[in-house]
Amino acid sequence: MPYASTQQLMRRACTAGVVIPAFNIPYLPMVEPVVKAIKDTNSVGLVMAARLEWEKFETGSLEALQAEYEKCKLPGHTRLHLDHVPVIDEDDLRVDFMEIIQRAVDAGYESVMVDGSRLSFAENVACTKEAADVAHAAGIPIEAELGAVMGHESGPLPPYEELFASGKGFTDPDEAKQFAGQSGCDWLSVAIGNIHGAISAAAKGKKKVAARLNIEHLDRIHKTTDIPLVLHGGTGIRKEYIMDSMKHGIAKINVATAIRQPYEAAIASGIEAAQQAVYDAMLVVIKEDLEVQDSAKILNPEG
Ligand code: 13P
């Protein structure tokens, strides 16, 4: 039997109330322990890099990640995804996003994300549609973002509780419905209280705030859209909210900080020590934080 496509895996996750974690790779030696931990726990996960990981960390390029992934990929457990390709980046600069999406398609990525969340609604729809046409012509699904998942910007964030209480930047359920219908995106990243881990030099080693999620708001988005939803900023969200979110449409959770910080803390002792630290952190994320051990039995029985 052929292996399930990434789109099939996401649909199954959505229906079964199971989540597919997606792991960011800011340093190439992280690929091996990430894949090994996914396999050893008999789970399903995505290996991915965002543009900022080759611009601001050490991934090199999306092609370099693909080459590293190729050495250890396991079709029964892993898929390669391109995370955040912003149209306007975290430094407010315009990005040639279509060039990057095309390169990812050419390199064999199995899904991609275009991030037009810093644009107006109409511009976000238009840019997502342009990227979706290219992804779909290549037979792969595309993720987009609506609402503001903050944290990657270099300036200070407003106090978290203030942000959460005001609902500022949260994805609007009616807009989400229109966006899903008009943009052609297959999965939608939503803002419901989640924030990204900081990446600026001054803040990237700091512990993340224990974010909460507005599950009622998520449910409204889930009911108006008919596509798998994605939760960015997966590190540090309080567990009860994570577990609840899976019952309300979240099919993919992005995790970066929880595996990057242990690598950075251990790298002075050598690459092997840093890889071991990533592996250990992966086991905690998969088994304890998300409880997705053995998810391959449900998501990828073909594997
Ligand atoms: P964290 O750094 O909070 O895990 O967020 C990762 C992410 O959302 C990458 O897209």
Side-chain angles (χ1 to χ4, degrees), residues 115-281:
D115 175 4
S117 64
R118 294 187 182 92
L119 303 169
S120 69
F121 179 84
E123 287 172 314
N124 192 356
V125 169
C127 290
T128 301
K129 177 93 182 60
E130 199 183 340
D133 288 346
V134 169
H136 293 158
I140 60 171
I142 187 161
E143 176 183 336
E145 184 164 298
L146 185 68
V149 182
M150 292 191 256
H152 280 162
E153 301 78 7
S154 52
L157 274 180
Y160 179 75
E161 285 305 325
E162 222 171 81
L163 205 69
F164 187 80
S166 70
K168 192 168 166 269
F170 279 20
T171 307
D172 180 89
D174 295 325
E175 280 192 358
K177 181 182 174 160
Q178 284 178 46
F179 187 85
Q182 295 170 18
S183 72
C185 75
D186 299 284
W187 321 330
L188 186 64
S189 159
V190 293
I192 50 169
N194 45 321
I195 53 168
H196 285 117
I199 54 150
S200 69
K204 70 179 186 179
K206 298 225 170 89
K207 191 173 184 322
K208 262 192 83 180
V209 61
R212 296 190 281 141
L213 302 174
N214 186 329
I215 298 291
E216 280 174 20
H217 194 90
L218 170 63
D219 200 46
R220 285 200 286 278
I221 301 169
H222 180 42
K223 286 191 175 126
T224 60
T225 58
D226 184 31
I227 56 175
L229 303 176
V230 180
L231 189 64
H232 283 237
T235 301
I237 297 173
R238 292 194 215 162
K239 176 151 177 181
E240 64 269 32
Y241 293 100
I242 293 264
M243 299 314 286
D244 238 9
S245 74
M246 301 177 198
K247 298 182 203 129
H248 297 271
I250 295 293
K252 168 174 174 277
I253 296 189
N254 285 14
V255 177
T257 309
I259 58 170
R260 172 180 57 76
Q261 287 181 339
Y263 183 95
E264 290 170 339
I267 193 64
S269 309
I271 286 188
E272 270 181 32
Q275 287 179 315
Q276 185 62 48
V278 170
Y279 181 80
D280 294 345

